[in-house]
Amino acid sequence: MPMNHDRIAAGAAPGKVILFGEHAVVYGQPALAAALGHGLGASVEESSKGPTLDIPRWGTEGLSVEPNHLSRGDAMGRAFSVALKRSGLSPETPVKVTVDGQLPLGVGLGSSAAFAVALLRGLCQYAGNTLNDVEMAQAAEDIESIFHGNPSGLDHTVVLTGECLYFTRQSANTFQSVRLGRSLPLVISWTRREGTTREAVSQLAARRERSPAMYDDLFASMGRLAEHGRRALESGDLRQIGALFDLNHGYLNACGVSAEPNERMVIAARDAGAYGAKLTGAGHGGACIALAPDNPEAVVVALQRAGFDALYTEVA
Ligand code: PMV
């Protein structure tokens, strides 16, 4: 296989945002998710030492790992090892890989899928290797599984296609492209997440177990709301999308997945002029999205004043 050792290779991938239907999707209802204008990039260059992977913004001090070929411990090292192999490179290839970007890490914005895809794209370019769509999706899923156990496939499918997708998870996962009537001006804010997606899902499952009929009615309503959301996205009706964000957030609150910081974020965004706001992803902290076509800067500033990180992005 030809290798371009004297060149720097690069790969990039966007993050994702769930617009409607998180949690209800676990119970067979539809969800809508889209690729973000912000993402991660991987740069790959020849190294005088063995392979290393640096993620300068990981945690407070950054992270630097070598490939880990064992099936236990050090998830990032294992992910690096799988990525090298799937890109057609030996685990000893002397490369220095740096993954960085503007996507917040670990708050439900698809950072592990974006990490997997950017890394694979960078390493494949370095190796002079091309994976077809199926191979790329499989490799991304294998890497994401190292972090998440059993990912639904939604994240890496959105990240790979860069599209807005209507997703259902019944006997098989189905995806349909949704053509947006116009791009969405979104302010994204985030804070630390309490626990993992898996914990948020299992705690909701325990609540549902005590009153299944009541919760299933709630999930069905969230499913119908996602259908309204799809039509509003297709027609580009921003007022309607904003109203549906607010309603979806109310349902998520009713499910018990909205924590106090999520409530403060959506209220701050609405007070600053957003058309609507909701948490996105698993909740219990993490990220919120606000539709802010008129004065996004004011919404960003209001969220920052309230103590959150925030950025403006467009879903196109
Ligand atoms: O926060 P994230 O990106 O991990 O999203 C979780 C979405 C859920 O619907 C809560 C779980 C799932 O598997 O769909």
Side-chain angles (χ1 to χ4, degrees):
M1 194 158 302
M3 288 193 203
N4 306 317
H5 281 311
D6 54 339
R7 283 200 300 164
I8 292 181
K16 72 100 206 333
V17 67
I18 299 180
L19 298 169
F20 296 106
E22 52 274 268
H23 285 290
V25 71
V26 174
Y27 298 89
Q29 301 295 336
L32 286 133
L36 278 173
H38 285 66
L40 296 177
S43 69
V44 186
E45 59 190 308
E46 191 173 4
S47 155
S48 52
K49 300 183 286 176
T52 54
L53 167 64
D54 293 333
I55 311 172
R57 283 190 308 118
W58 195 268
T60 43
E61 293 178 357
L63 184 72
S64 183
V65 296
E66 292 173 6
N68 168 2
H69 316 299
L70 304 173
S71 58
R72 289 170 286 107
D74 182 16
M76 201 55 88
R78 275 190 283 146
F80 188 25
S81 179
V82 170
L84 284 164
K85 195 163 148 212
R86 294 307 189 92
S87 309
L89 292 167
S90 99
E92 282 81 39
T93 311
V95 282
K96 175 174 158 48
V97 184
T98 307
V99 175
D100 204 2
Q102 293 172 301
L103 189 68
L105 305 173
V107 294
L109 295 171
S111 57
S112 50
F115 166 82
V117 173
L119 182 62
L120 286 163
R121 285 178 172 158
L123 288 172
C124 281
Q125 191 189 78
Y126 189 82
N129 193 8
T130 308
L131 299 185
N132 66 33
D133 291 351
V134 175
E135 292 166 336
M136 185 59 106
Q138 189 58 58
E141 180 163 340
D142 289 351
I143 293 173
E144 252 201 294
S145 306
I146 295 173
F147 302 112
H148 286 320
N150 183 20
S152 63
L154 172 67
D155 280 24
H156 72 256
T157 307
V158 169
V159 163
L160 275 168
T161 59
E163 291 182 19
C164 178
L165 296 177
Y166 173 93
F167 173 67
T168 48
R169 192 181 181 185
Q170 284 160 346
S171 48
N173 289 350
T174 61
F175 300 98
Q176 289 168 28
S177 294
V178 173
R179 186 180 285 271
L180 299 180
R182 53 163 294 178
S183 63
L184 303 182
L186 288 186
V187 173
I188 299 188
S189 55
W190 66 95
T191 184
R192 205 166 61 84
R193 197 144 90 162
E194 295 300 331
T196 60
T197 295
R198 196 191 295 246
E199 284 160 4
V201 169
S202 72
Q203 286 167 20
L204 177 53
R207 288 193 288 278
R208 177 190 171 273
E209 203 50 45
R210 290 193 285 273
S211 323
M214 214 165 71
Y215 276 90
D216 288 345
D217 275 351
L218 193 59
F219 298 139
S221 301
M222 290 159 90
R224 283 192 292 277
L225 195 137
E227 300 290 355
H228 285 296
R230 178 183 185 158
R231 284 191 288 278
L233 290 167
E234 284 169 341
S235 65
D237 184 342
L238 295 184
R239 282 285 175 199
Q240 175 80 347
I241 296 166
L244 290 165
F245 274 9
D246 286 346
L247 280 169
N248 198 165
H249 183 79
Y251 284 130
L252 288 162
N253 182 314
C255 289
V257 295
S258 178
E260 186 258 358
N262 301 105
E263 295 305 310
R264 283 201 289 124
M265 283 190 265
V266 295
I267 290 168
R270 290 171 193 154
D271 285 351
Y275 285 17
K278 67 183 278 288
L279 73 79
T280 181
H284 293 194
C288 287
I289 50 176
L291 191 69
D294 293 342
N295 192 353
E297 189 53 33
V299 178
V300 169
V301 168
L303 284 157
Q304 288 170 340
R305 285 212 180 112
F308 300 106
D309 288 308
L311 62 79
Y312 175 73
T313 189
E314 267 189 31
V315 167

